[in-house]
Amino acid sequence: VWMLVIAVVTAAYLMLGGYVAAAYTDFVQGIIMIFGVFAMVIAIVNQGSVGGLGGFFERLASVPDNGDGITGAQLTNLFGGGSWKFLCVNILLTSFGTWGLPQMVSKYYAIKDDNSIKTATVVSTVFALIIGAGAYFIGSLSRLILNNNLPSGGYDSVIPDVLMKSLGGSLGTIIILSVVLLLLLSASMSTLSSVVLSSASAISIDLVPTVKKNYTKRQEMLLTRFLCILFVAFSYIFATQNISIIVNIMSFSWGIVSGCFIGPYVWGIYSKKTTKAGAWAGMVCGFLTVAATTAVLTYLNCGADGIGAAFKAASSKAPEMGVAAMIVSLITVPVVSSFTKKFDEEHINNVFIK
């Protein structure tokens, strides 16, 4: 039911307002997320099993290994202890990977003026610190809330179980839980609207005009609205059906998309020497890095359980492959651009005009 609510509301404001509506709703959703994170952290830290701000560190440091190879000492270690490699890969993918995601880049279309960029830089940095630090902090405290036991539903059930166990008692904590649920709905709607809008505009604004003559602005607007509704509907159907192959593919999506586009985006913004061939090379090599590695790992893991199980095993390395694809893309673009045809001076001056 809630997935349907998210889909309907998101489709409505995207169809009516487009980029501007997405910008305004992201602002409101961001405020909800900030309040929700603060409320969640305060409520969970004050749980008896956590021990408050003065006692959580010692209690967490004394937590033994529950079978997953991670101890409390590693969770309280600044560099992650024995999990430093896993921690670094995930930080690189989730922090720098956003530079190459089209749904993030598309948000710049709604920027009002140059001064707004300076303000947004500060605001977005503070917002990322609050949300990121709050999420990692609560994730580590789940060991104390759940008595160091993994829920029957697996890792995906950790945070829901923590919230229900911590905030399911008094009226005050239930209100906080409601705010946290609004946080989750806001985050879901923000992500869905960004992905749908970038996908719809890629077709209606970038692709169709190149193949269709006499393409009017009204036709562009109508097609964008139609595609927004269509993509939201597909998202809802795929989410409710829980199609296993899509779930496995989604584990690669962040790394593949960022690996394809981070090189062209970054070098295209900061270097006048970037060429069209260099950008294409960065996209292709970034994609092939993930695709080829996945194919090799799937082949190596293919046994009695079949190709499906082998592909699932390969998907466990998706973060590492995504980071590798990002690095390959960032290296390939300037290298290929150095010996391929440059854009003419007029085009460069137009692109980099002050």
Side-chain angles (χ1 to χ4, degrees), residues 234-250:
F234 280 147
S235 299
Y236 172 74
I237 293 171
F238 292 148
T240 53
Q241 294 301 313
N242 194 25
I243 303 173
S244 59
I245 185 64
I246 293 178
V247 174
N248 290 332
I249 290 175
M250 280 302 296

Side-chain angles (χ1 to χ4, degrees), residues 101-151:
L101 299 180
Q103 65 266 29
M104 298 297 180
V105 176
S106 66
K107 293 180 182 294
Y108 292 102
Y109 295 165
I111 289 178
K112 185 178 181 180
D113 50 42
D114 289 345
N115 291 329
S116 299
I117 298 177
K118 298 177 181 178
T119 304
T121 301
V122 177
V123 172
S124 60
T125 301
V126 174
F127 177 80
L129 286 172
I130 293 173
I131 301 300
Y136 279 107
F137 184 56
I138 295 303
S140 64
L141 294 183
S142 64
R143 299 265 178 164
L144 299 176
I145 298 292
L146 301 178
N147 297 319
N148 204 28
N149 295 318
L150 183 66

Side-chain angles (χ1 to χ4, degrees), residues 40-80:
M40 179 173 63
V41 169
I42 292 171
I44 291 179
V45 166
N46 287 322
Q47 291 294 307
S49 57
V50 175
L53 286 175
F56 82 89
F57 192 87
E58 290 77 10
R59 293 191 182 189
L60 188 60
S62 63
V63 170
D65 180 5
N66 67 355
D68 62 358
I70 300 175
T71 64
Q74 290 176 294
L75 293 174
T76 54
N77 186 298
L78 180 62
F79 299 102

